[in-house]
Amino acid sequence: MSASALLPACVRAGRGLLLLRLGGRAAPAAVHLLRAASSKSGGGERSGEAGGLTRAVLRDKLETRTAAQAGGGEEEEQKKKEEKQKENSAYAKKVMLRLAALMGVGGAMGVVYVFGTNSEDEQGNKQLRRTYKYFKDYRQMIIEPTSTRLLPDPLKEPYYQPPYTLLSTGWRFKKRPGIDYLFQQLAPLYELVIFTSETGMTAYPLIDSIDPQGFVMYRLFRDATRYTDGHHVKDVSCLNRDTSKVILVDCKRESFSLQPFNGLALRKWDGNSDDRTLYDLANFLKTVALSGVDDVRSVLENYALEDDPIDAFKRRQAQLAQEEEHRRAQVSQQSQQGFSLGSVASRLWRSKPQ
C-alpha cells in the first residue's frame, strides 16, 4: 500500500482516539472506525502492520475508558448508599426522640394522676402542687435523718447509764480481730451503738453475728444518716445525747465531717488475722473514760490530723512512759542523795562530845 492510501486510515484512527477522549458517547464511532480500518487493509506487509497497530491502540484506549467508567459508576453507587443510610439513621433518631418525648409526657401525666387522686387535699393544694410536695418530702426522707432524736432518752436510776456513748461502724463479711475484746472492755464504760450506712436488712443479721452476747445497746442504719455531697454522714447532733460525751469510730472521715472532733478515723482492715487495731483502740478509749474528761472533743482534737490516730496514741504513751520513768529515776536519785547527807549529819551530831 502506498503512502497516499495509508494517510486516510491514519486520519480516521486519529479521529477515533479524539472521540474516545471526548466521552463515552463516541465509543460506538471508534468501534466503527476499527471495523472500517480492518476491512480496508491491503495486500502488503506494511499495511497489515499499520492496521494491527491501529487496532491495538484503539482497543487499549477503549478498555481503559470502559474500566474508568465502570469504576466511577461503582463509586457513585457507594456514595448514594452512604447518603441513604445517613438519611435513614437521621430519620430513626427523630422518631426515637419523638417517642421519648411522648413517653415522658405520658409518664408525667401518669405520675400526677397517681399521686393526685383527689382534686384537692385538706390544705386546698391541687394535684400538681400536691405531687410536688410528695416528691419533696420523699427527697427529704432520703437526705435527712428519720428523726432528730435517734436514740431514746438516757436511762435513769435505778438503771445504769454509761457516762459516754461510743458509735461504731459494722463489719460486712468477717469479724475483725479484737471486736469481742473491745465490747467486753468498753461495755461498762460506754453506751455501745452500732451506726452503719448499710440498710437494716443487710446489717441486722451481721450485727447479731458479731455481738452474740448483746453488748450493743442500739443499732442505727442508713435511714438515720444525713446524705450530703454524695456521702452518708452520721450527724451526732441528732442522737439525743450530750455531744461532749460522744465518740464516733469509723474508717471514713466523711462519715463525721459535720462534727470532725467527735470522730476517730481508723485504718481500713485488709483482712489480716494478726491485726491489733481494735485491741489498741480499746486501750485508748478505756484511758479516755477512766480519765473522766468533761469533753472528749478536747482529746480527739489532738488526733484529728493524724493518718493513724491509734498509732499516734501508742507513740505518745511510750513517750510519756519514758518521761515518767526518767522522772522517777531523778526522784529516786535525789532521795538517795538526801538520805546520804542526812546520815552523815546524824553521825556528825552523834560524834559531838557531850
Side-chain angles (χ1 to χ4, degrees):
M1 181 182 292
S2 62
S4 59
L6 184 61
L7 181 60
C10 292
V11 171
R12 286 192 294 271
R15 287 179 180 177
L17 293 174
L18 181 60
L19 292 174
L20 284 173
R21 291 182 180 180
L22 292 176
R25 296 179 180 178
V31 175
H32 178 70
L33 181 61
L34 282 172
R35 291 176 180 175
S38 61
S39 62
K40 292 183 178 181
S41 58
E45 294 179 358
R46 293 180 180 178
S47 61
E49 293 176 356
L53 180 60
T54 302
R55 287 193 298 272
V57 171
L58 291 175
R59 188 180 295 109
D60 291 340
K61 292 291 184 180
L62 181 61
E63 291 177 355
T64 304
R65 186 65 182 177
T66 305
Q69 290 179 353
E74 292 179 356
E75 291 179 357
E76 290 179 358
E77 291 180 359
Q78 185 67 24
K79 289 182 180 179
K80 289 181 180 179
K81 289 181 180 180
E82 291 178 355
E83 291 177 356
K84 192 174 182 180
Q85 289 179 355
K86 289 181 180 179
E87 292 177 357
N88 293 335
S89 61
Y91 179 74
K93 288 181 180 179
K94 290 181 181 179
V95 172
M96 293 297 294
L97 289 175
R98 291 174 182 175
L99 290 175
L102 290 174
M103 293 176 64
V105 173
M109 294 177 63
V111 167
V112 173
Y113 177 77
V114 170
F115 295 103
T117 53
N118 299 324
S119 59
E120 293 185 357
D121 58 8
E122 295 80 2
Q123 298 178 356
N125 294 327
K126 296 183 178 180
Q127 288 182 350
L128 290 176
R129 189 177 297 176
R130 187 168 60 254
T131 304
Y132 171 75
K133 183 177 181 300
Y134 175 84
F135 281 102
K136 183 179 179 181
D137 294 341
Y138 184 75
R139 180 177 178 272
Q140 289 298 113
M141 183 183 68
I142 295 175
I143 296 176
E144 301 292 333
T146 53
S147 173
T148 57
R149 300 166 65 90
L150 296 174
L151 297 179
D153 294 335
L155 298 176
K156 298 181 180 180
E157 295 182 355
Y159 301 101
Y160 172 71
Q161 173 67 32
Y164 301 96
T165 300
L166 176 65
L167 303 176
S168 177
T169 184
W171 288 269
R172 291 188 177 181
F173 305 110
K174 184 180 178 181
K175 290 176 65 173
R176 190 168 185 172
I179 184 66
D180 296 329
Y181 176 82
L182 178 73
F183 287 162
Q184 292 174 359
Q185 293 294 316
L186 300 182
L189 304 173
Y190 288 87
E191 180 184 30
L192 300 180
V193 180
I194 294 292
F195 198 172
T196 177
S197 59
E198 299 293 332
T199 61
M201 184 180 298
T202 304
Y204 215 94
L206 295 178
I207 297 174
D208 289 337
S209 64
I210 66 174
D211 182 34
Q213 299 181 2
F215 290 113
V216 176
M217 299 181 64
Y218 304 105
R219 308 176 182 190
L220 300 176
F221 305 105
R222 180 180 296 176
D223 57 346
T225 62
R226 187 184 301 275
Y227 192 74
T228 305
D229 296 332
H231 300 283
H232 291 280
V233 182
K234 302 168 184 179
D235 192 354
V236 175
S237 63
C238 297
L239 289 177
N240 192 26
R241 294 291 185 272
D242 183 6
T243 55
S244 64
K245 307 292 184 181
V246 177
I247 299 176
L248 195 157
V249 178
D250 205 297
C251 295
K252 298 179 181 179
R253 294 184 182 273
E254 295 84 2
S255 299
F256 48 86
S257 58
L258 295 178
Q259 295 89 13
F261 297 146
N262 282 102
L264 195 67
L266 298 182
R267 289 184 306 169
K268 289 185 178 180
W269 183 39
D270 56 1
N272 185 12
S273 300
D274 297 330
D275 183 73
R276 302 283 303 176
T277 302
L278 295 186
Y279 293 98
D280 299 330
L281 175 65
N283 296 331
F284 172 76
L285 296 175
K286 193 174 181 179
T287 302
V288 172
L290 295 178
S291 299
V293 295
D294 295 331
D295 194 340
V296 297
R297 292 171 293 191
S298 61
V299 178
L300 299 181
E301 184 179 1
N302 298 321
Y303 300 92
L305 300 179
E306 297 287 347
D307 294 333
D308 189 352
I310 301 303
D311 186 61
F313 168 72
K314 291 170 62 178
R315 292 197 307 268
R316 294 179 186 182
Q317 286 291 99
Q319 183 178 0
L320 290 175
Q322 291 179 358
E323 292 177 357
E324 181 65 19
E325 184 178 357
H326 181 67
R327 187 187 66 81
R328 289 180 179 179
Q330 288 181 345
V331 170
S332 176
Q333 185 177 2
Q334 290 176 359
S335 63
Q336 289 179 0
Q337 290 178 356
F339 176 76
S340 60
L341 291 176
S343 61
V344 170
S346 61
R347 289 179 183 178
L348 290 174
W349 180 260
R350 291 176 181 176
S351 62
K352 280 185 177 182
Q354 297 295 331

